[in-house]
Amino acid sequence: SLRNEPDTPEAPPCFDQLTELTTRIFSQSGWLANMMGMEHRPQQADMADAVAQHLLEDSPLLFEAGTGVGKSLAYLLPGIILAIENRRPFIVASHTISLQEQVLSKDIPLCAKLFSCVPELEKYKDFQTALLVGKGNYLCPNRLAAALRAKAELFPSEDQAELQRITDWAKETTNGMRQELSPPPMPEIWAQVNADSSTCSRKNCRPDHCHYQRAKARIQEANVLILNHSLLFALLGAGMHPAGKTPGILYPKDFMVLDEAHRIPAIATEHFGLDVSSYGLGLALKLLYNPRRKRGLFTKVATPEDCAMVTEAI
C-alpha cells in the first residue's frame, strides 16, 4: 500500500460548518470576491454549495458545467476543508496532464492564498498536496549507478549519449520524475534506470536518496492527492484498498472527485474490460488448427470433424 493506515481507523468527527463556510467563500459578497478580488460566478457558487452538501452526506454528485465556470475551485476549497477537519484523504483524479498541472500550479496556490488571507480559514492554509504517479515514472539512483557501471555491456554506443543526458539531469532534479525531463527519455533507456518493484523498497532505499520513497513519504502526509484516471483504475484493479474493512476507494475513509469524468467509461473499460478482435480470434483458432499448414493442437488430440469446424469458424 502507498499509505500506512491503522487497522481500526478512528471515526472522523462530523463537520457541519462546511456548507456555511462554502457559502461565505463563494457568495456575491464572499471571501473570494472581497479578499481575492475575483469575479462572482453564480454557477460556480451553485456547484460549490452542491459539492459541500454531498461531501457531508458522502453521496455521489454528477455535475456538468461549461468552460469558465471555475469548477476546480468549486470542488477544491470545500474538499480541502473537509479533508483537514475530518482527517480524510481527498483524491482528485483527472484525465489530462494539462488539467493536473493547472490544479497544481494555479488552483492549489489560489486555495492556499485564500486560506492565508481570511482569519476564519487560516487553520487550513498549511494543507499538503502530493502528485501520485506510477513507480516506473521515477528515476532510481541505484539503478542509474548500476547502468553507468555496466554501460559498455548494456548500451550500444549510440545510446550512451542518452544515458549521459539522464545522468546530467539526475544531478539537478528534485523529484526525479520522467515528466520533468524534456525531451522525454528514450523508453528503452528509461526502462534500465527507473524504479521498479524488484529493486525499490523501503528495505533497499532511503527516502533521502530515493525519489520514489521520498514521494511515498509526501503521500503519507498529504491532505490532497492528485492522479490521472488511468493510474486510478490501475490501482483499483490491483486491489489497492481491500473492500469491506473500512469505507474508502484507494485509502480508508478517503473521498474523491473525478474531473473530466466524460473520459471515465473508456478508461474503465480499458482496465476492466476484455478486448476481442477478429485478428486475435483468428490467431487463437489457428493455434487449434491451421487449415493452410495442416498444423495445430487438433491434429494430435481431435477428430477431422473438429478440424473442419475450426476451418469453418475461421
Side-chain angles (χ1 to χ4, degrees):
S1 173
L2 285 173
R3 193 165 185 139
N4 300 323
E5 296 286 349
D7 292 333
T8 54
E10 180 185 347
C14 184
F15 183 64
D16 294 332
Q17 293 80 31
L18 182 62
T19 51
E20 178 190 344
L21 286 178
T22 301
T23 299
R24 295 181 71 183
I25 289 171
F26 289 94
S27 66
Q28 189 164 3
S29 57
W31 290 318
L32 271 182
N34 285 342
M35 305 297 287
M36 304 286 287
M38 297 181 66
E39 175 190 359
H40 171 65
R41 303 174 186 179
Q43 298 93 336
Q44 183 187 53
D46 289 344
M47 177 177 173
D49 288 340
V51 168
Q53 186 60 46
H54 283 265
L55 287 179
L56 284 177
E57 296 171 356
D58 266 335
S59 59
L61 169 68
L62 181 64
F63 207 102
E64 183 176 11
T67 303
V69 167
K71 297 184 287 292
S72 299
L73 287 180
Y75 63 71
L76 282 172
L77 286 164
I80 293 169
I81 292 171
L82 185 71
I84 293 175
E85 288 288 349
N86 281 13
R87 300 188 299 279
R88 297 175 63 187
F90 174 26
I91 298 173
V92 178
S94 65
H95 180 69
T96 59
I97 293 175
S98 60
L99 182 57
Q100 291 172 49
E101 291 175 345
Q102 175 198 309
V103 169
L104 282 167
S105 63
K106 179 183 175 185
D107 298 322
I108 289 290
L110 266 176
C111 294
K113 185 177 180 182
L114 175 69
F115 294 150
S116 298
C117 290
V118 179
E120 293 92 333
L121 301 176
E122 195 172 6
K123 62 187 291 188
Y124 309 116
K125 68 178 182 180
D126 295 323
F127 70 92
Q128 300 296 310
T129 306
L131 177 65
L132 185 58
V133 300
K135 181 181 284 190
N137 289 281
Y138 290 97
L139 176 72
C140 176
N142 291 338
R143 295 191 74 204
L144 176 61
L148 287 170
R149 289 194 297 270
K151 66 179 181 180
E153 295 80 20
L154 287 176
F155 304 99
S157 55
E158 61 269 21
D159 288 346
Q160 292 183 18
E162 176 70 350
L163 180 65
Q164 186 58 49
R165 184 172 77 94
I166 295 174
T167 303
D168 294 339
W169 165 74
K171 297 173 184 175
E172 58 189 41
T173 181
T174 302
N175 298 317
M177 291 173 57
R178 177 177 59 177
Q179 292 86 334
E180 299 172 347
L181 185 55
S182 182
M186 295 168 57
E188 58 271 24
I189 309 299
W190 184 256
Q192 299 290 334
V193 300
N194 65 343
D196 71 359
S197 300
S198 62
T199 59
C200 190
S201 66
R202 280 185 290 179
K203 180 180 178 181
N204 299 327
C205 304
R206 306 186 317 272
D208 62 339
H209 176 66
C210 173
H211 296 295
Y212 178 68
Q213 294 299 327
R214 190 158 56 244
K216 283 184 66 175
R218 288 196 296 269
I219 290 166
Q220 299 290 336
E221 303 298 325
N223 307 107
V224 185
L225 292 159
I226 297 172
L227 76 166
N228 65 28
H229 292 165
S230 189
L231 180 58
L232 167 66
F233 284 100
L235 294 175
L236 287 175
M240 193 69 184
H241 173 59
K245 288 182 66 178
T246 55
I249 302 161
L250 293 184
Y251 309 109
K253 303 183 296 177
D254 65 12
F255 62 99
M256 177 178 290
V257 165
L258 296 170
D259 208 333
E260 301 177 302
H262 60 287
R263 303 278 191 166
I264 288 295
I267 303 295
T269 300
E270 181 182 331
H271 283 275
F272 298 140
L274 294 174
D275 190 345
V276 179
S277 67
S278 58
Y279 176 75
L281 186 57
L283 287 179
L285 288 169
K286 287 173 184 176
L287 284 175
L288 297 177
Y289 179 68
N290 188 321
R292 190 167 65 83
R293 297 185 177 182
K294 303 292 190 289
R295 291 183 179 178
L297 294 174
F298 274 18
T299 59
K300 297 181 179 179
V301 299
T303 66
E305 290 76 13
D306 295 326
C307 294
M309 290 175 66
V310 174
T311 302
E312 183 180 354
I314 292 171

